[in-house]
Amino acid sequence: MSNLIIGKHYPTREKIVEIACTLMRKKGFHATTLDDILKELGMSKGSFFYYFKSKEALGYAVIERFRERLMNFTSLSLGQVNKSPMERLNLHFENLINDFSQHECPTGCPFGMLAQELSERHPGFRLRLAEIFDESSGLWQKLLEEAKAIGELYEAVDCKALADFLVGDLQGALLLMKTTQDVGRLKRHLFHTRDYLTSLRAY
Amino acid sequence: MSNLIIGKHYPTREKIVEIACTLMRKKGFHATTLDDILKELGMSKGSFFYYFKSKEALGYAVIERFRERLMNFTSLSLGQVNKSPMERLNLHFENLINDFSQHECPTGCPFGMLAQELSERHPGFRLRLAEIFDESSGLWQKLLEEAKAIGELYEAVDCKALADFLVGDLQGALLLMKTTQDVGRLKRHLFHTRDYLTSLRAY
DNA sequence: GGAACACTCAAATGGCTATTAAAAACTAAA
DNA sequence: TTTAGTTTTTAATAGCCATTTGAGTGTTCC
């Protein structure tokens, strides 16, 4: 009977995904070769294809892994129910800045990177990434609606549109941070994003 | 004597760069092969290497070509001296939306794409792209300072920081447009960007 | 102990891709 | 017409990379 059942623990498969995440985050999908991954693990080709039908399948697994990490990371800040919505948002931005400050070489957002690289060639990846952006936007929307309810945003704000804006805005900030290799860029960018949200406060 | 002197006209070389721009904008740098380019032109490999030392050299030429196009496109709106700064900015945003509306499949920004794809592997590309983002930001900064001078922005605004913000913000908007394949996304995003700038208006 | 299955390995395969080599075709000037 | 210089073509070369094959090792359950 196949051992490849969702929910079971597969150290080898797990390791492949982990290393693939690390390498692909840095170098992207195409530039990360199976050789790179397997050399890092001291494994041979056959093992890889025992766990994955193809490199593309690994790509999807990597995306799902990044998605999980994103959701965990997001809930660290958005889940702080004792804080006000805007306080949670500020905390999230600070967490982002701190997180990227710890890497000497800011890598940017894996979703943004994969979206740029794979959107055209692999519509399946593009669609999945669009869903994840959407899911992320949904979390922001909820937060913004809460904010509106307690007067941290005024009535007329379209929370869904604003959430979409925030998702895009953040992507851009991360791209420029990566291109300039300067976390300060992210910091200064998010200052303006916050400034905008402040301007939407119900007096 | 070599014919490869800057400023002379090279129809063949020109054609290569043009096609490369088209293909790389769509598929990116790595996914665009020399075969792709030359098949499109009905040319053979040897010709390519007569004009370019390597594919990398072509990459730099493509970036410079995109840069020229960006500057031309930008001056269409920012160069309208009879309009107020913020009117010019609005016009620019409208031009962007119209331009991307004409392609059934929005391709996003070539600089953003190349930055994501090549930043890690080719620091030379990354640096050049960072310069171009910076150049672009400089144009915005000038515009914003003009705006401040006539009261379209209030005194305390840091025009350089705000310009950097705009550049990043726009990149993100284009990335999400590309990922969702929806020009409406760009339109809605830029509504918020404008809204923010409006909130910075003097008095 | 042995049969079925899970996993790993080493070695090939074949396609793709950038790059090179060398000859041919064209151009223009002497 | 000769000659030198340019552009282009054809035909390799060599490396990389995803994928396959088939044999091997271990493990579990009867």
Side-chain angles (χ1 to χ4, degrees), chain B residues 5 13 18 28 37 44 52 63 69 74 76 84 86 101-102 124 136 139 142 147 152-153 157 163 166-167 184 187:
Chain B
I5 300 167
R13 188 188 153 101
E18 277 300 314
I37 294 167
S44 57
F52 296 95
I63 288 179
R69 289 193 198 168
T74 304
L76 283 182
S84 88
M86 283 304 151
S101 297
Q102 280 163 17
S136 180
L139 296 176
K142 247 185 73 187
E152 281 188 330
L153 290 176
V157 170
L166 288 177
V167 168
K187 208 168 170 173

Side-chain angles (χ1 to χ4, degrees), chain B residues 20-46:
Chain B
C21 282
T22 305
L23 294 179
M24 287 185 182
R25 172 163 205 163
K26 210 172 166 187
K27 314 199 289 174
F29 181 78
H30 288 121
T32 300
T33 71
L34 299 182
D35 282 327
D36 289 341
I37 294 167
L38 297 167
K39 194 184 303 164
E40 199 84 13
L41 291 169
M43 287 176 54
S44 57
K45 298 282 185 73

Side-chain angles (χ1 to χ4, degrees), chain A residues 15-69:
Chain A
K15 278 189 222 155
I16 294 174
V17 174
E18 278 301 314
I19 293 281
C21 282
T22 305
L23 294 179
M24 287 185 183
R25 172 164 206 163
K26 209 171 166 188
K27 313 199 290 174
F29 182 79
H30 288 122
T32 300
T33 72
L34 298 183
D35 283 325
D36 289 341
I37 294 167
L38 297 168
K39 195 184 302 165
E40 199 84 14
L41 291 169
M43 287 177 54
S44 58
K45 298 282 184 74
S47 297
F48 174 83
F49 285 95
Y50 177 74
Y51 291 104
F52 296 96
K53 191 168 61 67
S54 63
K55 188 185 177 186
E56 194 181 357
L58 172 63
Y60 282 103
V62 164
I63 288 179
E64 295 314 313
R65 175 61 48 91
F66 278 127
R67 183 194 152 280
E68 285 164 27
R69 289 194 197 167

Side-chain angles (χ1 to χ4, degrees), chain A residues 22 25-27 100 103-110 113 174 177-178 181, chain B residues 116 120:
Chain A
T22 305
R25 172 164 206 163
K26 209 171 166 188
K27 313 199 290 174
F100 281 108
H103 308 281
E104 67 294 340
C105 241
T107 50
C109 172
M113 161 151 215
L174 294 172
M177 173 192 71
K178 173 178 172 174
Q181 288 290 294
Chain B
Q116 290 283 20
E120 176 67 23

Side-chain angles (χ1 to χ4, degrees), chain A residues 186-201:
Chain A
L186 175 65
K187 207 168 172 175
R188 293 188 294 277
H189 187 107
L190 292 180
F191 166 82
H192 285 94
T193 309
R194 263 193 298 255
D195 190 36
Y196 175 41
L197 291 171
T198 306
S199 81
L200 299 178
R201 180 164 291 164

Side-chain angles (χ1 to χ4, degrees), chain B residues 6 13-14 25 28 39 50 61 63 71 80 94-96 104 106 120 139 143 163 166 187-188:
Chain B
I6 292 168
R13 188 188 153 101
E14 195 64 12
R25 172 163 205 163
K39 194 184 303 164
Y50 178 73
I63 288 179
M71 292 306 152
Q80 299 264 341
E94 274 160 37
N95 283 350
L96 270 174
E104 66 296 339
E120 176 67 23
L139 296 176
L143 186 93
L166 288 177
K187 208 168 170 173
R188 293 189 293 276

